[in-house]
């Protein structure tokens, strides 16, 4: 046995590590799809948020890190060449011309945080004090002030009725920003 065979293997060279891929603007989902089709192990953290589309609140999936995703590669055994030419990929993030590995603990933490479902996602569309218009129900077309969220699907608004400010609870989907 020669001296080289008895030396411990360099951890950076033999163990697959997570690296960061920078994607072209708005193409992280495309890059993730194409890299996945090539057999790469990926982590593309997404966040479900409510957005206003066509006058209604809808759930939309957005990248947690716009323009970035994570890929798990072995420095020796993985084929790095096709990555740069994959649709949606801009480059592998490097430091001093070497790909910079990401700590596995960070990826694990992000995965644990990402296990929340839509029910625990937050509607961030309305803020306390914002003027809103009621779009449905008996108070349709009246203006109110958004006070707070009550759970995930309900809201408390302040509505001026009979010269007094009344607290009303209603579905958050019945509100839109005042025009």
């Amino acid at each position: 046995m020669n001296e080289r065979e008895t030396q411990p293997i360099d951890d950076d060279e033999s163990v697959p590590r997570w690296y960061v891929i920078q994607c072209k603007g708005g193409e992280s989902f495309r890059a993730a799809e194409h890299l996945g089709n090539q057999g790469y192990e990926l982590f593309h953290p997404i966040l479900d948020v409510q957005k206003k589309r066509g006058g209604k609140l809808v759930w939309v999936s957005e990248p947690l890190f716009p323009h970035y995703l994570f890929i798990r590669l072995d420095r020796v055994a993985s084929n790095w060449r096709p990555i740069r030419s994959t649709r949606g990929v801009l480059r592998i993030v490097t430091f001093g011309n070497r790909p910079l590995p990401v700590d596995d603990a960070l990826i694990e933490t992000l995965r644990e945080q990402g296990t929340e479902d839509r029910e625990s996602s937050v509607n961030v569309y309305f803020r306390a004090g914002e003027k809103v218009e009621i779009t449905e129900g008996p108070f349709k077309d009246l203006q109110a002030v958004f006070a707070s969220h009550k759970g995930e699907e309900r809201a408390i608004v302040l509505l001026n009725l009979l010269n007094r400010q009344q607290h009303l609870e209603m579905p958050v989907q019945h509100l839109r920003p005042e025009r």
Side-chain angles (χ1 to χ4, degrees):
M1 206 182 241
N2 67 31
E3 184 178 321
R4 189 169 190 204
E5 291 175 340
T6 61
Q7 300 241 335
I9 298 172
D10 183 3
D11 205 25
D12 288 340
E13 298 295 325
S14 65
V15 176
R17 302 286 309 268
W18 288 101
Y19 296 91
V20 179
I21 300 267
Q22 183 178 8
C23 303
K24 295 176 183 173
E27 294 192 24
S28 63
F29 287 105
R30 172 182 279 165
E33 177 185 354
H34 288 278
L35 287 167
N37 289 342
Q38 294 174 53
Y40 290 105
E41 182 182 352
L42 302 172
F43 176 55
H44 187 216
I46 58 171
L47 183 65
D48 288 331
V49 294
Q50 277 189 315
K51 294 243 176 159
K52 201 78 156 182
R53 297 276 160 89
K56 296 198 180 255
L57 285 174
V58 296
W59 287 101
V60 177
S61 294
E62 293 185 345
L64 181 60
F65 303 107
H67 310 291
Y68 296 94
L69 57 88
F70 301 94
I71 188 168
R72 190 167 177 86
L73 298 167
D74 183 308
R75 299 236 352 152
V76 176
S78 296
N79 187 358
W80 293 58
R81 287 185 177 245
I83 296 171
R84 270 200 50 199
S85 61
T86 299
R87 289 187 68 183
V89 171
L90 186 61
R91 65 186 183 96
I92 297 174
V93 176
T94 60
F95 183 74
N97 291 330
R98 286 187 59 116
L100 185 64
V102 176
D103 189 10
D104 287 345
L106 173 63
I107 300 297
E108 194 57 40
T109 300
L110 289 171
R111 282 195 163 148
E112 288 170 7
Q113 296 297 319
T115 58
E116 299 173 0
D117 59 11
R118 217 174 246 194
E119 295 302 316
S120 60
S121 296
V122 178
N123 174 332
V124 293
Y125 195 75
F126 298 110
R127 306 260 188 259
E130 183 180 349
K131 292 183 179 182
V132 295
E133 183 178 336
I134 301 169
T135 61
E136 295 180 37
F139 303 107
K140 183 177 179 175
D141 298 327
L142 293 179
Q143 276 70 39
V145 175
F146 184 84
S148 65
H149 290 280
K150 185 171 183 181
E152 297 301 319
E153 298 181 11
R154 309 278 300 165
I156 305 291
V157 296
L158 304 174
L159 184 64
N160 194 3
L161 292 173
L162 303 172
N163 291 325
R164 288 190 60 211
Q165 215 171 40
Q166 304 291 327
H167 287 75
L168 297 175
E169 181 181 330
M170 63 183 51
V172 77
Q173 289 85 1
H174 292 187
L175 303 174
R176 72 171 170 222
E178 185 180 61
R179 295 179 191 179

